[in-house]
Amino acid sequence: MTERKPPGVSFESWIDRQIREAQARGEFAELPGAGKPLPHITDTSYDELWWIKQKMAREGLSVLPPTLALRKEAEDALAAAATAPSEPAVRRIVEDINAKIREMMFKPPPGPPLGLKPYDVEKIVREWRERREG
């Protein structure tokens, strides 16, 4: 913790002295981003939540209504099933996403409608076999 400002010393000179001493001790030498330009900001409008949005982007998080998140998960599951290494893996992937779709169909959350129905496991397995053979 820094010392208190002595009486009779202006704030500017007191702060300048503390910064100069910290620089001499090397306390600013290893800061992240030192010597690099500030990140380019493309949006010129001010957003009070800019730091939350940047943190979520860095962490790979998103805030979607549950139905939209499940739609995205279903798309990812179909892509994973198409590249699965075996037929049991394809069946497991499709059955897992079907269970989630059924659960949401029976207990719809608030927000946009799901717009999905469970996938036909046999059809997806048949398509997977055809891609492997062809």
Side-chain angles (χ1 to χ4, degrees):
M1 186 161 150
T2 61
E3 65 209 52
R4 293 179 62 94
K5 180 184 91 58
V9 177
S10 71
F11 273 106
E12 183 177 355
S13 63
W14 180 68
I15 292 171
D16 288 338
R17 184 185 55 126
Q18 289 201 351
I19 292 172
R20 191 173 55 259
E21 289 172 357
Q23 285 175 329
R25 290 188 304 265
E27 292 182 17
F28 297 125
E30 300 297 322
L31 293 176
K36 297 178 185 172
L38 292 174
H40 181 67
I41 300 172
T42 57
D43 187 11
T44 57
S45 63
Y46 179 72
D47 183 7
E48 292 179 356
L49 301 176
W50 64 269
W51 63 276
I52 294 174
K53 291 176 182 174
Q54 284 184 357
K55 175 73 173 173
M56 290 179 70
R58 279 194 312 270
E59 299 291 328
L61 301 173
S62 67
V63 180
L64 285 176
T67 53
L68 296 181
L70 184 58
R71 284 187 203 174
K72 173 69 173 125
E73 188 178 347
E75 287 177 20
D76 294 344
L78 286 180
T83 61
S86 66
E87 185 176 320
V90 174
R91 289 183 184 280
R92 187 184 70 252
I93 291 168
V94 177
E95 288 168 358
D96 288 348
I97 197 65
N98 278 348
K100 292 178 181 181
I101 291 171
R102 282 188 193 95
E103 182 180 342
M104 195 163 290
M105 286 173 66
F106 295 127
K107 300 179 205 168
L114 179 60
L116 285 178
K117 58 184 177 182
Y119 296 109
D120 182 354
V121 177
E122 296 305 320
K123 178 183 173 200
I124 292 174
V125 168
R126 190 175 335 106
E127 291 170 354
W128 176 83
R129 277 193 206 125
E130 290 170 359
R131 276 192 300 275
R132 301 264 305 186
E133 294 169 358

